[in-house]
Amino acid sequence: MQIRITPEKKQALAISTMILFLLITIDSTLAIIPEEITTDTNNDITPTAIEDSSNIIYVVYASNRNGNYNIFYQTSKDEGTTWSTPKKITNSNELHPSIIQDSGGEYTIIYTSDSTGNSEIWSVKSTDGQTWSTPHKITNSSENKMKPTIIQDSTGKYFIIWSISTFEEGKGQVDKIQYVTSTDGTTWSDTNFFSIDTITITDAKLSEYFGTYYLVYQNSGKIYYSSSNDAETWSTPTAISTGTDNTEPEYFIDYSGKHHIIWTSIADGNDNIHHRSSTDGTTWSPESPITIHTATDVSGHILQDKNRNYWIFFRSDRTGNRNIWFMKDSSFPFETEAITESCGDNICSIDESCETCPTDCACGPTTPISPCKDIICSDKCKGTTKYANGYCVGNGECAYPTIIENSTECGHIEKNPKQSKEAQNEENKTSKEISETDILNKSPNETKENQDIHDKSTDQTVISDEEKKPEEHQHEKKDNANEEQDNKDHTLLTIFAIILIITILIISIIFYIYKKKQSESKDNNEENYTGYPHE
Protein backbone atom coordinates (compact mmCIF):
# COMPACT_ATOMS: atom_id res chain seq x y z
CA MET A 1 0.00 0.00 0.00
CA GLN A 2 1.30 3.43 -0.89
CA ILE A 3 2.04 5.62 2.14
CA ARG A 4 0.45 9.06 1.95
CA ILE A 5 1.82 11.95 4.01
CA THR A 6 -1.09 14.23 4.72
CA PRO A 7 -0.65 17.92 5.59
CA GLU A 8 -1.59 17.08 9.17
CA LYS A 9 1.24 14.52 9.37
CA LYS A 10 3.72 17.00 7.89
CA GLN A 11 2.68 19.61 10.43
CA ALA A 12 2.96 17.20 13.37
CA LEU A 13 6.38 16.00 12.17
CA ALA A 14 7.65 19.55 11.80
CA ILE A 15 6.46 20.52 15.29
CA SER A 16 8.04 17.40 16.82
CA THR A 17 11.37 18.08 15.09
CA MET A 18 11.40 21.70 16.24
CA ILE A 19 10.62 20.78 19.84
CA LEU A 20 13.28 18.06 19.86
CA PHE A 21 15.83 20.58 18.58
CA LEU A 22 14.87 23.07 21.29
CA LEU A 23 15.16 20.40 23.99
CA ILE A 24 18.63 19.42 22.77
CA THR A 25 19.67 23.07 22.61
CA ILE A 26 18.44 23.81 26.14
CA ASP A 27 20.07 20.68 27.53
CA SER A 28 23.42 21.54 25.92
CA THR A 29 23.48 24.97 27.56
CA LEU A 30 23.06 23.66 31.10
CA ALA A 31 26.32 23.96 33.00
CA ILE A 32 27.64 20.99 34.97
CA ILE A 33 29.15 22.36 38.17
CA PRO A 34 30.26 19.98 40.97
CA GLU A 35 28.39 20.14 44.27
CA GLU A 36 29.64 19.55 47.81
CA ILE A 37 28.26 16.70 49.91
CA THR A 38 30.42 17.10 53.02
CA THR A 39 31.47 20.44 54.48
CA ASP A 40 33.48 19.45 57.55
CA THR A 41 36.71 21.34 58.28
CA ASN A 42 38.66 18.06 58.65
CA ASN A 43 39.50 15.49 55.97
CA ASP A 44 36.83 13.42 54.18
CA ILE A 45 38.47 11.08 51.65
CA THR A 46 38.11 8.03 49.31
CA PRO A 47 34.36 8.06 48.50
CA THR A 48 32.46 5.04 47.22
CA ALA A 49 28.75 4.89 46.40
CA ILE A 50 25.79 2.73 45.36
CA GLU A 51 22.12 3.13 44.53
CA ASP A 52 20.14 0.60 46.53
CA SER A 53 16.96 -1.28 45.59
CA SER A 54 14.85 1.61 46.98
CA ASN A 55 16.61 4.16 44.72
CA ILE A 56 18.48 5.67 47.68
CA ILE A 57 22.03 6.86 47.00
CA TYR A 58 24.59 5.81 49.63
CA VAL A 59 27.94 7.61 49.79
CA VAL A 60 30.55 6.03 52.08
CA TYR A 61 33.91 7.63 52.92
CA ALA A 62 36.65 7.84 55.54
CA SER A 63 36.89 10.94 57.77
CA ASN A 64 39.14 12.08 60.60
CA ARG A 65 36.62 14.57 61.99
CA ASN A 66 36.71 12.70 65.33
CA GLY A 67 40.49 12.31 65.50
CA ASN A 68 41.33 8.96 63.91
CA TYR A 69 39.95 8.04 60.51
CA ASN A 70 36.58 6.28 60.73
CA ILE A 71 34.02 5.14 58.16
CA PHE A 72 31.03 7.46 57.65
CA TYR A 73 28.11 7.39 55.24
CA GLN A 74 25.34 9.71 54.01
CA THR A 75 22.25 9.07 51.91
CA SER A 76 20.09 11.01 49.47
CA LYS A 77 16.47 10.15 48.68
CA ASP A 78 15.91 13.03 46.22
CA GLU A 79 18.62 12.42 43.61
CA GLY A 80 21.30 14.45 45.34
CA THR A 81 19.28 17.56 46.17
CA THR A 82 19.69 16.97 49.91
CA TRP A 83 21.88 14.61 51.96
CA SER A 84 21.38 13.06 55.37
CA THR A 85 23.51 13.91 58.39
CA PRO A 86 26.85 12.01 58.36
CA LYS A 87 26.68 8.79 60.38
CA LYS A 88 29.76 7.03 61.80
CA ILE A 89 29.76 3.23 61.69
CA THR A 90 33.30 2.32 62.90
CA ASN A 91 35.34 3.42 65.91
CA SER A 92 39.00 2.44 65.41
CA ASN A 93 41.38 3.57 62.65
CA GLU A 94 39.78 2.66 59.29
CA LEU A 95 40.39 3.61 55.65
CA HIS A 96 39.38 2.79 52.06
CA PRO A 97 35.73 1.71 52.29
CA SER A 98 33.86 -0.19 49.57
CA ILE A 99 30.09 -0.87 49.63
CA ILE A 100 27.66 -3.20 47.85
CA GLN A 101 24.04 -4.24 48.23
CA ASP A 102 23.88 -7.88 47.21
CA SER A 103 21.14 -9.75 45.34
CA GLY A 104 19.45 -10.59 48.66
CA GLY A 105 19.21 -6.91 49.67
CA GLU A 106 21.92 -7.04 52.36
CA TYR A 107 24.42 -4.17 52.59
CA THR A 108 28.14 -4.91 53.10
CA ILE A 109 30.88 -2.34 53.69
CA ILE A 110 34.51 -3.50 53.72
CA TYR A 111 37.54 -1.41 54.71
CA THR A 112 41.08 -1.65 56.06
CA SER A 113 41.92 -1.29 59.75
CA ASP A 114 45.13 -1.65 61.78
CA SER A 115 43.26 -1.97 65.08
CA THR A 116 44.85 -5.42 65.67
CA GLY A 117 48.35 -4.64 64.35
CA ASN A 118 48.70 -5.09 60.58
CA SER A 119 46.33 -3.45 58.15
CA GLU A 120 43.65 -6.11 57.57
CA ILE A 121 40.32 -6.33 55.71
CA TRP A 122 37.21 -5.92 57.89
CA SER A 123 33.49 -5.76 57.14
CA VAL A 124 30.19 -4.59 58.61
CA LYS A 125 26.73 -5.65 57.41
CA SER A 126 23.18 -4.28 57.54
CA THR A 127 19.77 -5.54 56.46
CA ASP A 128 18.15 -2.09 56.45
CA GLY A 129 21.05 0.25 55.58
CA GLN A 130 20.80 1.96 58.96
CA THR A 131 21.76 -0.48 61.72
CA TRP A 132 25.18 -2.07 61.25
CA SER A 133 26.71 -5.24 62.64
CA THR A 134 29.81 -5.56 64.82
CA PRO A 135 32.98 -5.34 62.64
CA HIS A 136 34.15 -8.72 61.35
CA LYS A 137 37.80 -9.44 60.46
CA ILE A 138 38.16 -11.17 57.06
CA THR A 139 41.96 -11.46 56.57
CA ASN A 140 44.80 -12.26 58.94
CA SER A 141 48.35 -12.27 57.55
CA SER A 142 51.63 -10.38 57.87
CA GLU A 143 51.19 -8.14 54.80
CA ASN A 144 49.53 -4.74 55.01
CA LYS A 145 46.43 -4.67 52.83
CA MET A 146 45.58 -1.55 50.82
CA LYS A 147 42.52 -0.22 48.97
CA PRO A 148 40.13 -3.21 48.96
CA THR A 149 37.11 -3.55 46.68
CA ILE A 150 34.10 -5.87 47.03
CA ILE A 151 31.77 -7.02 44.23
CA GLN A 152 29.10 -9.67 43.68
CA ASP A 153 29.13 -11.07 40.15
CA SER A 154 26.17 -12.12 38.01
CA THR A 155 26.35 -15.71 39.37
CA GLY A 156 26.09 -14.52 42.99
CA LYS A 157 29.77 -15.09 43.81
CA TYR A 158 31.53 -12.51 46.00
CA PHE A 159 35.05 -11.20 45.39
CA ILE A 160 37.23 -8.98 47.59
CA ILE A 161 40.51 -7.80 46.08
CA TRP A 162 43.29 -5.59 47.48
CA SER A 163 46.94 -4.63 46.96
CA ILE A 164 49.92 -5.68 49.07
CA SER A 165 53.61 -4.78 49.10
CA THR A 166 55.92 -7.70 49.89
CA PHE A 167 59.56 -8.74 49.47
CA GLU A 168 60.49 -11.52 47.04
CA GLU A 169 63.89 -13.14 46.56
CA GLY A 170 65.58 -11.82 43.46
CA LYS A 171 62.91 -9.16 42.84
CA GLY A 172 63.02 -7.08 45.98
CA GLN A 173 59.90 -5.16 46.99
CA VAL A 174 56.94 -6.32 44.89
CA ASP A 175 53.39 -4.94 44.73
CA LYS A 176 50.75 -7.57 43.97
CA ILE A 177 46.99 -8.11 43.96
CA GLN A 178 45.39 -10.63 46.31
CA TYR A 179 41.77 -11.76 46.51
CA VAL A 180 39.33 -13.98 48.37
CA THR A 181 35.96 -15.34 47.28
CA SER A 182 32.72 -16.38 48.97
CA THR A 183 29.41 -17.93 48.02
CA ASP A 184 27.45 -16.37 50.91
CA GLY A 185 29.37 -13.15 51.72
CA THR A 186 30.25 -14.43 55.18
CA THR A 187 32.64 -17.38 54.85
CA TRP A 188 35.70 -16.56 52.74
CA SER A 189 38.23 -18.66 50.84
CA ASP A 190 41.98 -18.73 51.33
CA THR A 191 43.94 -15.84 49.85
CA ASN A 192 44.84 -16.10 46.14
CA PHE A 193 46.92 -14.04 43.66
CA PHE A 194 45.77 -12.81 40.27
CA SER A 195 48.04 -14.23 37.59
CA ILE A 196 49.27 -10.97 36.10
CA ASP A 197 53.05 -10.99 35.85
CA THR A 198 54.25 -7.52 36.84
CA ILE A 199 56.46 -6.22 39.60
CA THR A 200 54.50 -3.12 40.58
CA ILE A 201 50.70 -3.36 40.44
CA THR A 202 48.57 -1.31 42.81
CA ASP A 203 45.25 0.55 43.03
CA ALA A 204 43.44 -2.47 41.58
CA LYS A 205 39.66 -2.52 41.04
CA LEU A 206 37.63 -5.52 39.89
CA SER A 207 34.28 -5.42 38.11
CA GLU A 208 32.11 -7.92 36.22
CA TYR A 209 29.56 -7.35 33.47
CA PHE A 210 27.68 -9.97 31.42
CA GLY A 211 30.02 -12.77 32.50
CA THR A 212 33.30 -10.94 31.74
CA TYR A 213 35.61 -9.75 34.50
CA TYR A 214 37.60 -6.52 34.15
CA LEU A 215 40.66 -5.72 36.22
CA VAL A 216 42.02 -2.17 36.10
CA TYR A 217 45.13 -1.11 37.97
CA GLN A 218 48.18 1.14 38.12
CA ASN A 219 51.62 -0.04 37.05
CA SER A 220 54.57 2.40 37.34
CA GLY A 221 52.29 5.42 37.10
CA LYS A 222 50.27 4.18 34.11
CA ILE A 223 46.73 2.78 34.03
CA TYR A 224 46.20 -0.70 32.55
CA TYR A 225 43.27 -3.06 32.21
CA SER A 226 42.84 -6.77 31.51
CA SER A 227 39.77 -8.95 31.00
CA SER A 228 38.93 -12.57 31.83
CA ASN A 229 36.08 -15.02 31.44
CA ASP A 230 36.85 -16.90 34.67
CA ALA A 231 38.80 -14.39 36.86
CA GLU A 232 41.82 -16.69 36.63
CA THR A 233 43.33 -16.37 33.14
CA TRP A 234 43.72 -12.74 32.10
CA SER A 235 44.27 -11.02 28.77
CA THR A 236 47.44 -9.11 27.93
CA PRO A 237 47.36 -5.79 29.83
CA THR A 238 46.37 -2.76 27.74
CA ALA A 239 47.63 0.73 28.64
CA ILE A 240 44.82 3.28 28.83
CA SER A 241 46.47 6.47 30.18
CA THR A 242 49.20 8.85 29.07
CA GLY A 243 52.05 10.07 31.25
CA THR A 244 53.49 8.38 34.32
CA ASP A 245 51.59 10.01 37.18
CA ASN A 246 48.20 8.26 37.19
CA THR A 247 46.44 6.49 40.06
CA GLU A 248 43.07 5.24 41.39
CA PRO A 249 41.45 3.74 38.26
CA GLU A 250 37.93 2.35 37.99
CA TYR A 251 36.23 0.32 35.21
CA PHE A 252 32.51 0.71 34.53
CA ILE A 253 30.01 -0.41 31.88
CA ASP A 254 26.75 1.57 31.65
CA TYR A 255 23.24 0.35 30.82
CA SER A 256 23.81 0.89 27.09
CA GLY A 257 26.88 -1.37 27.14
CA LYS A 258 29.40 1.46 26.80
CA HIS A 259 32.72 0.96 28.62
CA HIS A 260 34.22 3.72 30.82
CA ILE A 261 37.52 3.98 32.67
CA ILE A 262 38.19 6.88 35.04
CA TRP A 263 41.31 7.63 37.07
CA THR A 264 43.26 10.39 38.83
CA SER A 265 45.81 12.18 36.62
CA ILE A 266 48.19 15.11 36.99
CA ALA A 267 48.62 15.49 33.22
CA ASP A 268 47.05 18.97 33.28
CA GLY A 269 49.33 20.24 36.05
CA ASN A 270 46.72 19.62 38.76
CA ASP A 271 45.19 16.43 40.12
CA ASN A 272 41.97 15.89 38.15
CA ILE A 273 39.72 12.98 37.23
CA HIS A 274 40.30 11.73 33.66
CA HIS A 275 38.18 9.51 31.43
CA ARG A 276 38.16 7.33 28.32
CA SER A 277 35.23 5.40 26.84
CA SER A 278 34.65 2.62 24.33
CA THR A 279 31.67 1.03 22.63
CA ASP A 280 33.39 -2.36 22.30
CA GLY A 281 36.04 -2.41 25.04
CA THR A 282 38.80 -2.35 22.41
CA THR A 283 38.84 1.02 20.64
CA TRP A 284 38.91 3.89 23.10
CA SER A 285 38.09 7.59 22.90
CA PRO A 286 40.84 10.17 23.49
CA GLU A 287 41.75 10.87 27.11
CA SER A 288 39.86 13.85 28.53
CA PRO A 289 39.48 15.45 31.98
CA ILE A 290 36.19 15.14 33.86
CA THR A 291 37.11 17.78 36.46
CA ILE A 292 38.96 20.94 35.42
CA HIS A 293 39.45 22.89 38.64
CA THR A 294 42.87 24.15 39.74
CA ALA A 295 42.37 22.41 43.09
CA THR A 296 43.14 18.74 43.86
CA ASP A 297 40.35 16.42 42.63
CA VAL A 298 41.13 12.73 43.29
CA SER A 299 39.59 9.32 44.17
CA GLY A 300 36.87 9.29 41.52
CA HIS A 301 33.98 6.81 41.74
CA ILE A 302 31.28 6.33 39.09
CA LEU A 303 27.77 4.87 39.11
CA GLN A 304 24.66 5.02 36.96
CA ASP A 305 21.28 5.05 38.68
CA LYS A 306 18.07 3.36 37.55
CA ASN A 307 16.97 6.58 35.86
CA ARG A 308 20.12 6.32 33.69
CA ASN A 309 21.75 9.34 35.33
CA TYR A 310 25.53 9.22 35.68
CA TRP A 311 27.13 10.17 39.01
CA ILE A 312 30.80 11.02 39.57
CA PHE A 313 31.93 11.19 43.21
CA PHE A 314 35.37 12.46 44.17
CA ARG A 315 37.41 14.13 46.90
CA SER A 316 38.38 17.78 46.41
CA ASP A 317 39.95 20.62 48.37
CA ARG A 318 38.56 23.34 46.10
CA THR A 319 36.99 25.12 49.11
CA GLY A 320 40.07 24.72 51.31
CA ASN A 321 39.11 21.50 53.13
CA ARG A 322 39.19 17.95 51.81
CA ASN A 323 35.54 17.15 51.22
CA ILE A 324 33.37 14.81 49.14
CA TRP A 325 31.89 16.26 45.93
CA PHE A 326 29.74 14.93 43.11
CA MET A 327 28.46 15.69 39.62
CA LYS A 328 25.32 14.21 38.04
CA ASP A 329 23.88 14.35 34.54
CA SER A 330 21.80 12.31 32.10
CA SER A 331 24.86 12.13 29.81
CA PHE A 332 28.36 11.42 31.03
CA PRO A 333 29.18 14.49 33.18
CA PHE A 334 32.15 16.67 32.34
CA GLU A 335 32.66 19.75 34.49
CA THR A 336 32.03 22.96 32.53
CA GLU A 337 34.08 26.09 32.95
CA ALA A 338 32.65 28.26 35.71
CA ILE A 339 31.78 31.78 34.59
CA THR A 340 34.40 34.21 35.85
CA GLU A 341 32.60 37.22 37.22
CA SER A 342 34.10 40.68 37.60
CA CYS A 343 34.75 42.48 40.87
CA GLY A 344 31.80 44.56 41.91
CA ASP A 345 28.98 42.19 40.89
CA ASN A 346 28.32 41.00 44.48
CA ILE A 347 29.50 37.44 43.59
CA CYS A 348 32.73 36.10 45.08
CA SER A 349 34.09 34.25 42.03
CA ILE A 350 36.72 31.56 41.97
CA ASP A 351 39.50 34.03 41.08
CA GLU A 352 38.45 36.66 43.64
CA SER A 353 39.36 36.90 47.31
CA CYS A 354 38.98 39.16 50.31
CA GLU A 355 42.17 40.92 49.25
CA THR A 356 41.47 41.31 45.54
CA CYS A 357 37.74 42.04 45.75
CA PRO A 358 36.52 42.81 49.29
CA THR A 359 33.14 44.11 48.11
CA ASP A 360 32.20 40.73 46.56
CA CYS A 361 33.82 38.38 49.07
CA ALA A 362 32.01 39.42 52.28
CA CYS A 363 34.98 41.18 53.81
CA GLY A 364 32.86 43.99 55.19
CA PRO A 365 31.78 47.28 53.60
CA THR A 366 34.44 49.75 52.57
CA THR A 367 34.08 53.49 53.28
CA PRO A 368 34.60 55.51 50.11
CA ILE A 369 37.05 58.38 50.34
CA SER A 370 35.30 61.75 50.10
CA PRO A 371 36.42 63.74 47.06
CA CYS A 372 36.32 66.84 49.28
CA LYS A 373 38.68 65.43 51.94
CA ASP A 374 41.40 67.85 53.14
CA ILE A 375 39.99 70.78 51.10
CA ILE A 376 39.41 74.08 52.87
CA CYS A 377 35.90 75.11 53.76
CA SER A 378 35.38 77.82 51.17
CA ASP A 379 36.47 75.61 48.29
CA LYS A 380 34.67 72.58 49.70
CA CYS A 381 31.29 74.22 50.21
CA LYS A 382 30.57 76.78 47.56
CA GLY A 383 29.21 75.50 44.28
CA THR A 384 30.31 71.91 44.74
CA THR A 385 28.45 68.78 43.76
CA LYS A 386 28.61 67.29 47.21
CA TYR A 387 27.52 70.43 49.01
CA ALA A 388 25.41 72.35 46.50
CA ASN A 389 25.48 76.10 47.21
CA GLY A 390 26.83 75.44 50.70
CA TYR A 391 28.53 78.10 52.83
CA CYS A 392 30.96 78.20 55.72
CA VAL A 393 29.91 78.75 59.29
CA GLY A 394 31.80 79.91 62.35
CA ASN A 395 33.35 76.56 63.32
CA GLY A 396 34.91 76.04 59.86
CA GLU A 397 32.37 73.46 58.74
CA CYS A 398 29.93 73.54 55.89
CA ALA A 399 26.26 74.28 56.10
CA TYR A 400 24.75 72.30 53.25
CA PRO A 401 20.97 72.41 53.11
CA THR A 402 20.99 70.71 49.73
CA ILE A 403 23.07 67.60 49.16
CA ILE A 404 23.73 66.02 45.80
CA GLU A 405 25.18 62.53 46.21
CA ASN A 406 27.53 60.47 44.04
CA SER A 407 30.01 63.29 43.51
CA THR A 408 33.28 62.25 41.99
CA GLU A 409 35.16 65.54 42.03
CA CYS A 410 35.14 68.25 44.69
CA GLY A 411 34.10 71.59 43.22
CA HIS A 412 32.57 70.02 40.11
CA ILE A 413 28.90 70.77 39.43
CA GLU A 414 26.96 67.98 37.75
CA LYS A 415 24.25 69.43 35.52
CA ASN A 416 21.31 67.68 33.96
CA PRO A 417 21.32 68.55 30.24
CA LYS A 418 17.54 68.20 30.12
CA GLN A 419 17.07 71.00 32.64
CA SER A 420 17.55 74.69 32.08
CA LYS A 421 20.04 76.54 34.23
CA GLU A 422 17.21 78.40 35.99
CA ALA A 423 15.33 75.16 36.69
CA GLN A 424 18.47 73.54 38.06
CA ASN A 425 19.18 76.49 40.34
CA GLU A 426 15.59 76.41 41.51
CA GLU A 427 15.90 72.67 42.26
CA ASN A 428 19.05 73.21 44.31
CA LYS A 429 17.50 75.90 46.49
CA THR A 430 15.48 75.18 49.63
CA SER A 431 13.45 77.30 51.97
CA LYS A 432 16.39 77.31 54.45
CA GLU A 433 19.07 78.23 51.90
CA ILE A 434 20.78 81.58 52.44
CA SER A 435 23.41 82.95 50.10
CA GLU A 436 26.55 84.79 51.15
CA THR A 437 25.15 87.99 49.58
CA ASP A 438 22.05 87.76 51.79
CA ILE A 439 24.25 87.43 54.85
CA LEU A 440 26.24 90.58 53.97
CA ASN A 441 23.06 92.62 53.45
CA LYS A 442 21.65 91.75 56.86
CA SER A 443 22.16 93.87 59.94
CA PRO A 444 24.63 92.63 62.59
CA ASN A 445 21.78 91.47 64.83
CA GLU A 446 20.06 89.72 61.97
CA THR A 447 23.33 88.24 60.91
CA LYS A 448 23.99 86.91 64.41
CA GLU A 449 20.44 85.62 64.60
CA ASN A 450 20.79 83.96 61.22
CA GLN A 451 24.21 82.65 62.27
CA ASP A 452 22.58 80.88 65.23
CA ILE A 453 19.98 79.47 62.90
CA HIS A 454 22.69 78.33 60.53
CA ASP A 455 24.59 76.68 63.39
CA LYS A 456 21.48 74.75 64.33
CA SER A 457 20.89 73.95 60.69
CA THR A 458 24.47 72.73 60.45
CA ASP A 459 24.02 70.38 63.42
CA GLN A 460 20.78 69.03 62.03
CA THR A 461 22.19 68.63 58.54
CA VAL A 462 25.32 66.87 59.78
CA ILE A 463 23.07 64.39 61.55
CA SER A 464 21.00 64.10 58.41
CA ASP A 465 24.13 63.38 56.40
CA GLU A 466 25.19 60.65 58.84
CA GLU A 467 21.73 59.13 58.60
CA LYS A 468 22.12 58.83 54.86
CA LYS A 469 24.96 56.34 55.21
CA PRO A 470 22.84 53.48 56.56
CA GLU A 471 20.24 54.38 53.96
CA GLU A 472 22.87 53.92 51.27
CA HIS A 473 23.65 50.44 52.63
CA GLN A 474 19.93 49.68 52.68
CA HIS A 475 19.72 50.63 48.99
CA GLU A 476 22.68 48.36 48.27
CA LYS A 477 20.99 45.48 50.11
CA LYS A 478 17.79 46.18 48.22
CA ASP A 479 19.66 46.10 44.89
CA ASN A 480 21.31 42.80 45.87
CA ALA A 481 17.92 41.36 46.86
CA ASN A 482 16.47 42.50 43.53
CA GLU A 483 19.34 40.83 41.67
CA GLU A 484 18.82 37.58 43.59
CA GLN A 485 15.11 37.74 42.81
CA ASP A 486 15.90 38.28 39.12
CA ASN A 487 18.10 35.16 39.17
CA LYS A 488 15.30 33.16 40.83
CA ASP A 489 12.81 34.48 38.27
CA HIS A 490 15.15 33.49 35.45
CA THR A 491 15.48 29.96 36.86
CA LEU A 492 11.71 29.61 37.24
CA LEU A 493 11.22 30.91 33.71
CA THR A 494 13.68 28.35 32.35
CA ILE A 495 11.90 25.51 34.21
CA PHE A 496 8.52 26.74 32.96
CA ALA A 497 9.83 26.88 29.38
CA ILE A 498 11.14 23.32 29.57
CA ILE A 499 7.82 22.06 31.00
CA LEU A 500 5.91 23.93 28.28
CA ILE A 501 8.08 22.45 25.52
CA ILE A 502 7.68 18.93 26.87
CA THR A 503 3.90 19.43 27.09
CA ILE A 504 3.77 20.63 23.48
CA LEU A 505 5.87 17.64 22.42
CA ILE A 506 3.48 15.20 24.12
CA ILE A 507 0.44 16.90 22.54
CA SER A 508 2.13 16.79 19.12
CA ILE A 509 2.84 13.08 19.46
CA ILE A 510 -0.76 12.36 20.50
CA PHE A 511 -2.01 14.49 17.60
CA TYR A 512 0.28 12.63 15.18
CA ILE A 513 -0.89 9.21 16.41
CA TYR A 514 -4.53 10.29 16.17
CA LYS A 515 -4.11 11.54 12.59
CA LYS A 516 -2.19 8.43 11.64
CA LYS A 517 -4.97 6.15 12.90
CA GLN A 518 -7.56 8.33 11.20
CA SER A 519 -5.68 8.13 7.93
CA GLU A 520 -5.21 4.37 8.21
CA SER A 521 -8.91 3.94 8.87
CA LYS A 522 -9.68 6.00 5.81
CA ASP A 523 -7.29 3.91 3.71
CA ASN A 524 -8.92 0.70 4.91
CA ASN A 525 -12.36 2.04 4.01
CA GLU A 526 -11.18 2.90 0.52
CA GLU A 527 -9.65 -0.56 0.02
CA ASN A 528 -12.82 -2.29 1.19
CA TYR A 529 -15.08 -0.22 -1.05
CA THR A 530 -16.29 -2.39 -4.00
CA GLY A 531 -18.25 0.23 -5.94
CA TYR A 532 -21.58 -1.54 -5.35
CA PRO A 533 -24.38 -0.09 -3.24
CA HIS A 534 -25.20 -1.76 0.05
CA GLU A 535 -27.96 -4.34 -0.24
Side-chain angles (χ1 to χ4, degrees), residues 53 65 86 88 90 189 252 296 340 356 377 385 396 456 461 471 522 528 532:
S53 55
R65 61 184 66 192
K88 183 166 71 78
T90 63
S189 69
F252 170 76
T296 298
T340 302
T356 61
C377 178
T385 303
K456 293 179 180 179
T461 313
E471 293 178 0
K522 183 178 179 180
N528 295 330
Y532 295 97

Side-chain angles (χ1 to χ4, degrees), residues 63-76:
S63 175
N64 68 345
R65 61 184 66 192
N66 291 340
N68 292 328
Y69 276 99
N70 302 125
I71 306 304
F72 286 75
Y73 77 97
Q74 292 176 243
T75 61
S76 177

